[in-house]
Amino acid sequence: RLGPLQQCVSMYVQLNKIETLAEEYVRLRPAEIHKLWFGFVPPTPPAPATPAPATPAPRPNTSSVEEGMGSNDDLDDDELGLGCARADGLAAASTTTTKPTSEAFASAFLAWLPGWYGSVLSLLSEETRRASAVFGPKMAPDIVLRVFRECFRPILPSFRTRLSSLCPSSSSGGKHPSNETWSLDAICSTYETTLHFLSQCYDQLASNLESSALACTSSMSSANGEKDGPDSPVAKGAIATYNNITSAFIFVASPFAPYQQEFAKLEKKHCDVVSKRVASEVQAVVGGRNVSSNISSLQGTVDRLQDLASSVLPLAEAAVSRFELLNCGYHTDVAVA
């Protein structure tokens, strides 16, 4: 099946137009990967609950003034005090649907993403064999890396948009959602999944590409009678392969860069959201109706406060884990401050 394509490559090589063919080949290879990405369908937001019709307030007896001012049938609901009840009902319905919709999108995307990454890995595995057979071992490493980058090039704006739906950053241009729907944990989970994917990619790319480059450069060294060393074609080929892989990985992970750069601000907001819940629980314990001056009641209050005090430690540990995951230990002074 690859015979006609190999003949086409030979013809383009003779015409010194192989780069034109390679560009078109790289552009078309990940078409199915792009189709899968844009085929992701976010959960459909639930229809807003229809608020119960507000019980109309009894109309005041205006018979005494109707003769001089006319009937009150011309007054609207706001003037009669009924519009506020309807607005409150619609606002409550909107608030109750925002949080489930955001959580549903995060859960669906995190469950779908590993499968899409698996499709990219399958393509790379196939492309390693295919590129070597079509373009030869000399061009194969570059072709495979270019196909890998092309898998992500058209989808990166969409990737940033989906991350912004989980947790907007300043560079995304969107407004931060309410405290109930805002979550940095979803970004961390997505980044962790991406790191696992890149780790698998490196194992595959490094082993296949370096072996291909090694075979090519070794044959060249033997033909020229050159010895192995840091300046040998073998070493230069391995270094070039590593640098190309590193550049491609940075490109793929670029949608997460704003969250790494703004980690301190985002983590502060995240901690504020969580700590307010703890503070409200503490306030409920201290200012509750069950608190009295007798010894048993005071002891119970102290015990509950002691339990709440220990709940702060897991929050701090989670913050450190997010810092280690997203920033890998960089800018510690800013994060701690």
Side-chain angles (χ1 to χ4, degrees):
R1 190 172 68 177
L2 298 178
L5 187 55
Q6 291 171 329
Q7 295 176 1
C8 187
V9 169
S10 299
M11 181 181 65
Y12 271 77
V13 169
Q14 294 176 359
L15 296 174
N16 199 25
K17 298 288 186 178
I18 187 60
E19 183 59 29
T20 302
L21 178 63
E23 289 179 359
E24 187 67 13
Y25 177 87
V26 169
R27 185 182 66 84
L28 294 176
R29 280 295 285 155
E32 188 63 26
I33 297 297
H34 300 157
K35 183 179 179 181
L36 290 174
W37 174 268
F38 292 108
F40 170 72
V41 180
T44 304
T50 303
T55 303
R59 291 178 178 266
N61 186 2
T62 58
S63 58
S64 60
V65 297
E66 284 180 358
E67 296 178 357
M69 300 182 62
S71 173
N72 62 359
D73 291 340
D74 294 334
L75 299 177
D76 58 21
D77 288 338
D78 288 335
E79 292 171 318
L80 292 175
L82 304 180
C84 294
R86 294 182 181 178
D88 291 343
L90 292 174
S94 176
T95 302
T96 56
T97 58
T98 302
K99 182 177 181 181
T101 301
S102 178
E103 292 179 349
F105 175 81
S107 299
F109 183 65
L110 288 173
W112 172 87
L113 187 60
W116 184 81
Y117 280 154
S119 299
V120 177
L121 288 171
S122 299
L123 176 64
L124 290 181
S125 179
E126 178 186 354
E127 189 57 36
T128 300
R129 175 191 58 82
R130 183 187 179 100
S132 181
V134 173
F135 292 93
K138 183 178 180 180
M139 290 189 62
D142 179 63
I143 293 294
V144 173
L145 272 176
R146 288 166 66 177
V147 169
F148 174 71
R149 291 177 68 100
E150 186 64 20
C151 287
F152 289 87
R153 183 191 60 79
I155 68 146
L156 284 185
S158 174
F159 204 150
R160 295 187 184 96
T161 300
R162 294 182 185 181
L163 292 181
S164 179
S165 299
L166 301 175
C167 175
S169 62
S170 298
S171 61
S172 66
K175 296 181 179 180
H176 288 286
S178 62
N179 292 347
E180 289 77 9
T181 62
W182 191 92
S183 175
L184 185 59
D185 286 329
I187 294 295
C188 292
S189 298
T190 307
Y191 186 60
E192 187 173 13
T193 301
T194 303
L195 288 182
H196 180 67
F197 160 72
L198 293 178
S199 176
Q200 292 177 303
C201 284
Y202 182 81
D203 292 339
Q204 185 170 312
L205 291 172
S207 60
N208 294 330
L209 298 184
E210 288 180 5
S211 63
S212 179
L214 181 63
C216 179
T217 52
S218 295
S219 62
M220 293 174 57
S221 298
S222 300
N224 297 331
E226 298 178 1
K227 298 181 179 180
D228 293 338
D231 296 328
S232 66
V234 176
K236 291 181 179 180
I239 293 173
T241 298
Y242 174 80
N243 290 337
N244 289 336
I245 293 175
T246 302
S247 175
F249 283 9
I250 294 174
F251 176 74
V252 169
S254 60
F256 296 94
Y259 300 95
Q260 295 170 324
Q261 297 167 358
E262 302 175 19
F263 174 80
K265 181 175 64 176
L266 295 173
E267 180 62 35
K268 182 179 183 300
K269 178 176 176 62
H270 183 84
C271 289
D272 288 345
V273 172
V274 179
S275 61
K276 284 180 181 178
R277 301 171 188 168
V278 178
S280 62
E281 293 179 2
V282 172
Q283 186 177 4
V285 171
V286 175
R289 296 181 179 180
N290 297 327
V291 179
S292 61
S293 58
N294 61 70
I295 298 298
S296 59
S297 177
L298 290 176
Q299 184 61 46
T301 301
V302 171
D303 292 339
R304 289 193 294 272
L305 288 175
Q306 185 176 2
D307 295 337
L308 290 173
S310 61
S311 66
V312 178
L313 295 179
L315 300 181
E317 292 174 354
V320 172
S321 298
R322 286 188 292 269
F323 171 70
E324 292 176 348
L325 176 63
L326 278 177
N327 279 32
C328 302
Y330 286 96
H331 306 297
T332 308
D333 52 344
V334 177
V336 172

